[in-house]
Amino acid sequence: AIFRDEARYLAEWVSFHRVQGVERFYLYDNRSSDDWRSELEPEIAAGIVEVRHCWPFLQGRAYDHCLWRHPSDARWIAFIDIDEFLFSPTGKPLPEILRGFDMHPGVTVNWRIYGTSGFKHPPDGLVTENYLWRPPDDYPRNCWMKSIINPRRALGPGSAHHFRLQAEAVDED
């Protein structure tokens, strides 16, 4: 993921995904001016989080760098944003779910927009406790996808939502 001035959300985001079974995080700081390092220091020290400064990278170039730098470090890499939370609706850990997709170069997962939940200013507390309202499933932007890919079978990012792969990705179904 790429972040900029999102320190208050980083610890929750990493912790949420650790509970889902994510073992490692490759983050790219896009010129943040907040104190993100103190939020991530325990995970950085433990080797769970790696942060690179990505300026002047754009998102695609940072994703390309991640693929180039980590082709053998992970079986799967999910390319999501700090305001996106990846989980299995069944409650199973993500690595367990992804084992069923080992023969594929990538898995696309459906994206759901949540929005402000009526808040004019961000409230105190966790994102996952405060932002619970979302548009209906047929909301047009809910048809977008995010990618979880095998970095050894990726040719590069096509956008923030899909990757060029050696074969076709499948969806989560």
Side-chain angles (χ1 to χ4, degrees):
I2 297 172
F3 67 91
R4 183 174 187 174
D5 296 330
E6 297 178 275
R8 72 176 280 199
Y9 306 112
L10 291 172
E12 175 188 5
W13 187 82
V14 168
S15 295
F16 179 91
H17 289 97
R18 292 279 294 156
V19 169
Q20 305 307 313
V22 175
E23 298 170 357
R24 185 81 191 246
F25 298 82
Y26 307 116
L27 302 180
Y28 289 80
D29 169 34
N30 184 13
R31 301 177 289 159
S32 293
S33 60
D34 58 8
D35 188 20
W36 61 266
R37 185 171 298 281
S38 68
E39 295 295 322
L40 294 174
E41 191 56 46
E43 290 83 3
I44 292 170
I48 295 166
V49 172
E50 175 183 307
V51 179
R52 294 196 157 282
H53 299 285
C54 68
W55 188 86
F57 292 138
L58 300 175
Q59 192 169 30
R61 288 179 64 192
Y63 286 178
D64 236 358
H65 181 270
C66 185
L67 290 171
W68 169 79
R69 183 147 167 81
H70 304 288
S72 301
D73 297 350
R75 171 58 181 91
W76 296 103
I77 299 177
F79 290 86
I80 62 175
D81 297 332
I82 300 300
D83 64 348
E84 297 169 337
F85 293 81
L86 182 61
F87 64 95
S88 167
T90 67
K92 292 181 183 175
L94 293 174
E96 183 179 327
I97 297 292
L98 289 170
R99 275 194 286 281
F101 294 94
D102 276 343
M103 71 290 296
H104 301 286
V107 180
T108 59
V109 294
N110 201 249
W111 193 38
R112 292 290 186 250
I113 300 287
Y114 275 75
T116 66
S117 287
F119 296 112
K120 293 193 187 290
H121 303 286
D124 290 335
L126 299 175
V127 170
T128 53
E129 290 177 349
N130 287 318
Y131 296 93
L132 304 176
W133 299 351
R134 65 180 173 95
D137 288 345
D138 62 355
Y139 180 65
R141 289 181 62 193
N142 279 339
C143 68
W144 292 6
M145 308 296 263
K146 285 296 190 148
S147 295
I148 307 169
I149 63 161
N150 176 343
R152 289 167 297 290
R153 297 190 61 197
L155 303 174
S159 75
H161 298 274
H162 79 278
F163 283 75
R164 296 181 320 279
L165 303 169
Q166 294 172 351
E168 291 293 317
V170 296
D171 68 23
E172 72 263 26
D173 295 323

